[in-house]
Amino acid sequence: MSKAVICDIDGVLLHDNQLIDGAKAFIERLLANETKLVILTNYPAQTPQDLQNRFQTAGVDIPESCFYTSAMATADFLKRQDGNKAYVIGEGALIHELYSAGFTITDINPDFVVVGETKNYNWNMIQHAAKFVAQGAQFIATNPDTHGPNMSPACGSLCAPIERITGREPFVVGKPSAWIVRAALNKIGAHADDTVIIGDNLRTDILAGFQAGLETILVLSGVSSEADIEMVPFRPNYVFPDVAAIDII
């Protein structure tokens, strides 16, 4: 079938920085067929150029325009809101996307508190963020992930103290929010009815696709196993051991 494709990265195409068996041929086939393609990640700390380089180093060339991150989606989301000042807990890629979208990054009276990923998290950041949220700033999280490899704290964990102090939960832009899927569709001019999402995580990739009305493909090369499917109240449309086995696109 000729469908647009939204594809996760880690556990689907790459393990750490190594291509999963069959991923190179799968990507190259999509590119050769001029399939509308978004390679989508919840991780906000890398730019499309960084991701392109990551794949080139692993051995496959992907146009920079194919990549879409939760940092890009956060900037796209905030452009639709009132206000243009943001207090940001995050790395350069997130700050770059917000600057490019016309936001002022400030710790004076911000309209938004935006949390991404950073290794420089500290007490002052928690206090500033909590104070601004308590004073009415909109609380935005790039993604809900609690941790990455080796139990490295991720966005959801960095949001937790701010949530506890203020009693406010953030609006989450990344998967499983349908927002990031809709934004990815807009990026390539595709419709939900004509798009499939491929992921390795039932609770983020597949749930996001389900909530946005896409067909979903679960690959078993990452987080979720076949047994996990019985533990959730929704079902992927298709299950394959890895992307090399996908024969419906």
Side-chain angles (χ1 to χ4, degrees):
M1 59 183 175
S2 178
K3 290 221 171 204
V5 174
I6 297 174
C7 188
D8 183 42
I9 297 178
D10 293 293
V12 178
L13 301 174
L14 296 175
H15 271 314
D16 296 322
N17 290 313
Q18 304 294 316
L19 283 165
I20 291 172
D21 286 347
K24 178 180 169 74
F26 177 73
I27 295 166
E28 289 178 343
R29 175 162 61 85
L30 295 180
L31 294 173
N33 292 340
E34 298 184 351
T35 301
K36 288 182 177 180
L37 174 64
V38 178
I39 296 177
L40 180 67
T41 177
N42 261 3
Y43 189 56
Q46 289 186 309
T47 64
Q49 297 95 318
D50 294 332
L51 291 167
Q52 182 185 43
N53 181 63
R54 189 179 169 201
F55 275 93
Q56 280 176 338
T57 303
V60 63
D61 284 317
I62 302 173
E64 187 185 309
S65 59
C66 290
F67 295 103
Y68 194 66
T69 72
S70 65
M72 299 164 75
T74 298
D76 286 339
F77 173 76
L78 291 181
K79 281 190 289 190
R80 296 166 181 246
Q81 313 304 314
D82 291 331
N84 64 355
K85 296 185 294 181
Y87 177 71
V88 181
I89 297 173
E91 300 287 349
L94 176 58
I95 291 166
H96 168 76
E97 292 297 341
L98 293 172
Y99 269 133
S100 298
F103 286 87
T104 300
I105 310 301
T106 182
D107 61 0
I108 301 169
N109 228 10
D111 303 300
F112 306 100
V113 168
V114 182
V115 182
E117 318 278 349
T118 180
K119 293 177 181 174
N120 300 314
Y121 195 64
N122 60 44
W123 190 93
N124 283 333
M125 289 178 178
I126 299 170
Q127 187 207 11
H128 275 97
K131 181 179 74 173
F132 296 141
V133 169
Q135 290 172 346
Q138 297 299 312
F139 186 14
I140 311 294
T142 57
N143 68 81
D145 303 341
T146 55
H147 62 280
N150 301 314
M151 291 292 121
S152 55
C155 180
S157 295
L158 307 192
C159 288
I162 304 162
E163 293 182 44
R164 290 297 298 272
I165 294 168
T166 63
R168 299 258 309 272
E169 291 187 1
F171 175 81
V172 177
V173 173
K175 299 173 289 185
S177 170
W179 164 261
I180 196 169
V181 177
R182 296 289 183 190
L185 290 171
N186 289 339
K187 176 178 165 61
I188 54 171
H191 296 286
D193 291 347
D194 304 318
T195 305
V196 64
I197 187 167
I198 305 168
D200 68 306
N201 190 324
L202 281 163
R203 297 179 186 277
T204 55
D205 309 310
I206 304 306
L207 179 55
F210 179 79
Q211 293 188 140
L214 278 63
E215 278 198 312
T216 56
I217 297 176
L218 175 69
V219 291
L220 303 175
S221 49
V223 171
S224 296
S225 68
E226 203 152 13
D228 293 330
I229 298 170
E230 301 306 317
M231 309 298 290
V232 295
F234 52 89
R235 292 286 179 272
N237 295 98
Y238 305 96
V239 180
F240 291 99
D242 51 36
V243 289
I246 296 173
D247 58 5
I248 58 166
I249 300 172

